[in-house]
Amino acid sequence: MSMVGLGIILMISMYAEEWGMGKEAYGLAGKVSAAYVIAQAICSPQLAKMVDRYGQAKIMRPAVVVSATSLSALVACTVTGQPIWTLYLFAILTGATIGSIGAMVRSRWSNVIDSPKELHTAFSLEAAIDEMIFVIGPIAATMLATSVAPHAGLIVPVVIMIVGGFWFLSQKSTEPPVVRYAKHDKVKSVLLNPAMLCLIAVFIFMGAIFGASDVATIAFAEEQGQKSMAGAILAVFALGSLISGLVYGARQWASPLWLRFAIGIIALAVLSSLFFIATNLWMLAGAMFIAGLAISPTLINGNNMVQLVVSPRQLTEGLTWVGTALGVGVSFGSSIAGSRIDAHGAHEGFLIVVVSAVASVVVVLAAAGVLRKKTTEHVTTIEEVDLTGSETLGIEEVSDKAKGQVAAQSQAEAESWEEAKGNDKSKVDTATKPEAEAESTTLGQDAEEPESESTTVP
C-alpha cells in the first residue's frame, strides 16, 4: 500500500497545521505513521503464521474488512478533529490487520514455480511491479492531498484494499496449500534462524533510509516552495528502482547471492547519502534516481535469500518478517527524521538517511559470514535425485520444495515401517535383516508390503 504511509503523513501534517500545531505537525504525522507501521510489523508475521496454517483467503478476508474500516475511521477522526489518541488507535488497528499482501504474492509464485532460475525471474518481475506501484502511489497520494483534500490520498487505498484485496483472495488456483502440523510437530520460529535475524536487521536500516527520505523530501520541497512536487520526486526514486529491477531480472547471475545482496546494500548506502548535499529539487531528483537503481536488485536478492534460509512451510512468515522489518525501519526513520526536521529543517532529515545508510553497511558486513554460510550450503550438487521413481535428474540446485518432497517421502516410508511393525512383529523382524538395512528403509518381502524405491541426496 504505497499510498497509506505517505497519505497518513500528508493528511495529519496538513490538518495539524490548521489546528495550530506549527512545527510540531510533522512530528505528530511521523509518529502516527510510525504507530501504523509498527503495528503492522508486530502483527503481520502472526497473520502470516495463521495464513500458512489455515489459508490466505480464510484469514485475510476478515482482516481486510477490519483494516479498511479502521483506515476509514482514521480519516474521519482526523477530518473532524477528534482527540489525538483516536488517531493512534485507528492507525494501530489498520496496521495490525493489513497484513503483507506482497509476501502472499511471492508465496504463490513459490507454489507454482519449481525452478530457482524461473523463481528469480518471477521475483524480479514482482519487484518491478512493486516499484511501478510505488511510482504511481506517491504521486497520486500527494496530488490528491494537495489538490483535492488532505484526506483524499487515503480514500483511494481504502477502495483498493476492499476491491483488490477480495479479488486477489478469490484466486484459488494459485493459493498455496494449507500447512498441516502433527500434534507432536514443534516448528521453530524463523527468529531463531541466525541468517533471518541478519536479514531482518539489514532490512530495518534499509527501511529507515526510505522512511527518512520520504519525510525529508516532503519538508525539503515545502522549504523550496513546491510541496506538491514531493510526490513526483519520490516517484523518481521509485522509477530508478523499477528500471533496475527489470534489467536485473532479465538475466541470470553467476555470482553468489549473498555477495550481490551485500554489494547492493553498500551501493544504496553510498548513493542515498548524496541526498544530504542537494541544494535544490533538481539535484535531489537526480540523486534519488541514481540511488533508486540500487533498490530493486537488493530487495530481489533479499527475498531470494529468504527462500534459501527458511523451510517451505514457513515461507510466508519469512517473507513477511523481512517485509515488516522494512516497515519498522520506515516507521523509525520517518519518526526520527520528522522530529529532527521540526527542530532544524529538512536537511536534518537527510542526515538521518546518512546515519541509517552507514548502519546498514556495518550490519551487512558484520553478517556476511553468516549469510554466506547459510545460503551457500543450500546450493549443492546433486548427482541423482529420484523424486518420481522413474526418472533420474542431474541438477546443481534443488529448491526447498524438492527437499520437502524427499523428506515427506522418507517420513511416509518410516510411518509405513512402524505400521507394519505394529501389525506383525515377526514379519518386520524378517524385513530388518542386515542385508535389508544396507539397502534402505524398504520392508522385506515377508512384510507383504510393496517395495518402494529409496531416494538419496548425497
Side-chain angles (χ1 to χ4, degrees), residues 49-387:
K49 284 183 180 180
M50 297 173 69
V51 162
D52 282 336
R53 181 164 295 202
Y54 301 108
Q56 292 184 0
K58 187 173 183 179
I59 297 301
M60 290 308 300
R61 279 176 179 153
V64 166
V65 172
V66 175
S67 185
T69 303
S70 299
L71 186 56
S72 300
L74 173 61
V75 171
C77 289
T78 306
V79 172
T80 58
Q82 298 302 312
I84 290 177
W85 65 265
T86 62
L87 307 185
Y88 285 104
L89 172 64
F90 289 113
I92 289 171
L93 285 175
T94 301
T97 53
I98 199 169
S100 179
I101 297 297
M104 295 179 202
V105 172
R106 288 176 172 84
S107 181
R108 289 184 181 226
W109 278 118
S110 300
N111 180 54
V112 299
I113 295 177
D114 293 330
S115 167
K117 292 183 178 180
E118 291 180 358
L119 193 59
H120 165 79
T121 302
F123 276 9
S124 300
L125 175 63
E126 187 64 32
I129 293 173
D130 283 347
E131 295 307 326
M132 188 185 305
I133 293 171
F134 275 90
V135 167
I136 299 171
I139 295 177
T142 305
M143 290 181 62
L144 289 169
T146 56
S147 304
V148 180
H151 57 276
L154 290 177
I155 299 301
V156 174
V158 170
V159 175
I160 293 175
M161 202 180 297
I162 295 173
V163 177
F166 277 95
W167 176 79
F168 170 74
L169 295 171
S170 68
Q171 308 302 306
K172 292 293 186 182
S173 61
T174 58
E175 184 174 2
V178 174
V179 178
R180 300 294 183 186
Y181 295 94
K183 292 182 179 180
H184 62 278
D185 191 10
K186 294 182 179 180
V187 181
K188 292 183 179 180
S189 170
V190 297
L191 295 181
L192 298 178
N193 186 323
M196 274 301 303
L197 291 177
C198 293
L199 288 173
I200 289 170
V202 174
F203 270 72
I204 286 174
F205 288 113
M206 283 181 64
I209 294 174
F210 302 148
S213 297
D214 287 348
V215 178
T217 299
I218 296 169
F220 186 68
E222 185 175 20
E223 288 180 357
Q224 298 290 311
Q226 301 183 63
K227 186 174 182 177
S228 61
M229 289 295 295
I233 294 172
L234 291 173
V236 169
F237 197 19
L239 180 61
S241 181
L242 168 63
I243 293 172
S244 65
L246 292 173
V247 173
Y248 183 79
R251 58 163 294 181
Q252 301 296 324
W253 299 84
S255 56
L257 183 59
W258 68 270
L259 181 59
R260 282 179 273 142
F261 180 68
I263 291 173
I265 290 293
I266 295 170
L268 177 62
V270 172
L271 296 174
S272 61
S273 297
L274 298 176
F275 303 165
F276 184 75
I277 65 175
T279 57
N280 58 59
L281 293 179
W282 287 107
M283 287 183 64
L284 180 61
M288 283 197 155
F289 177 79
I290 296 172
L293 296 174
I295 297 176
S296 270
T298 307
L299 294 177
I300 291 167
N301 291 331
N303 285 314
N304 281 335
M305 288 176 72
V306 174
Q307 283 280 120
L308 299 180
V309 302
V310 302
S311 66
R313 61 182 176 181
Q314 292 180 299
L315 180 58
T316 304
E317 183 185 356
L319 291 170
T320 299
W321 269 114
V322 294
T324 52
L326 201 66
V328 168
V330 170
S331 69
F332 279 117
S334 62
S335 179
I336 296 171
S339 298
R340 300 299 297 173
I341 289 168
D342 285 338
H344 303 287
H347 270 77
E348 282 292 310
F350 290 131
L351 182 59
I352 301 301
V353 173
V354 175
V355 172
S356 301
V358 172
S360 68
V361 172
V362 171
V363 173
V364 80
L365 292 178
V370 174
L371 296 177
R372 178 177 56 193
K373 178 181 178 182
K374 193 66 177 179
T375 54
T376 55
E377 71 184 15
H378 284 78
V379 183
T380 56
T381 300
I382 310 298
E383 293 181 354
E384 290 184 351
V385 178
D386 185 0
L387 296 177

